[in-house]
Amino acid sequence: MSITKMPLFDALTQKMKWHQTRQTLLAENIANADTPDFRGRDLKEFDFATHQSDLKMSTVSTRVTNVNHISVVGQGADGFGARQMNNFEITPEGNGVVLEDEMMKVSTNQMDYQAATAVYKRSLRLIRTALGR
């Protein structure tokens, strides 16, 4: 098993991918802030507990041809799924994007992404140190 396939690293990887996907949606919202009838989109919150329960546990079984053969079966979690935002402020043109709110979400998203990458890097360093590399 690769170190990066451990459940902790897999969850952190999914969290970083979630932040990347969210950054794309937020950028689209900002780019369309003046587009008539545009409604912003956002992702549902990433939840580590839900991510862990969505993971299919790998099963290990031996093959009949040789007792030393091991087969690992399993897949990662599903995608994130964008959802329409609740737009409480609608401009006369019908646009529901508040630029200040979107900019706050972008900066928060960046800080959360940086925190996840820092935890990922430090965890890798810790494991490498423990392995004597």
Side-chain angles (χ1 to χ4, degrees), residues 2-21:
S2 168
I3 289 176
T4 57
K5 294 297 179 192
M6 294 172 67
L8 170 69
F9 292 108
D10 185 51
L12 285 170
T13 301
Q14 290 300 317
K15 175 75 170 166
M16 289 186 290
K17 287 179 183 178
W18 180 88
H19 282 294
Q20 290 171 337
T21 305

Side-chain angles (χ1 to χ4, degrees), residues 60-131:
V60 178
S61 61
T62 56
R63 294 191 180 192
V64 180
T65 58
N66 186 333
V67 227
N68 296 324
H69 291 171
I70 298 176
S71 173
V72 178
V73 180
Q75 300 256 340
D78 294 318
F80 305 112
R83 61 182 170 87
Q84 285 293 114
M85 294 182 345
N86 291 330
N87 301 102
F88 298 109
E89 293 183 33
I90 305 291
T91 63
E93 299 86 29
N95 187 305
V97 176
V98 179
L99 197 54
E100 292 81 10
D101 291 345
E102 296 302 309
M103 295 304 290
M104 290 297 294
K105 289 178 189 176
V106 166
S107 63
T108 302
N109 192 53
Q110 281 180 314
M111 289 187 296
D112 290 346
Y113 179 81
Q114 289 171 352
T117 55
V119 169
Y120 189 91
K121 287 178 185 178
R122 287 181 184 158
S123 298
L124 274 178
R125 252 187 272 139
L126 182 64
I127 288 178
R128 285 186 179 135
T129 301
L131 293 174

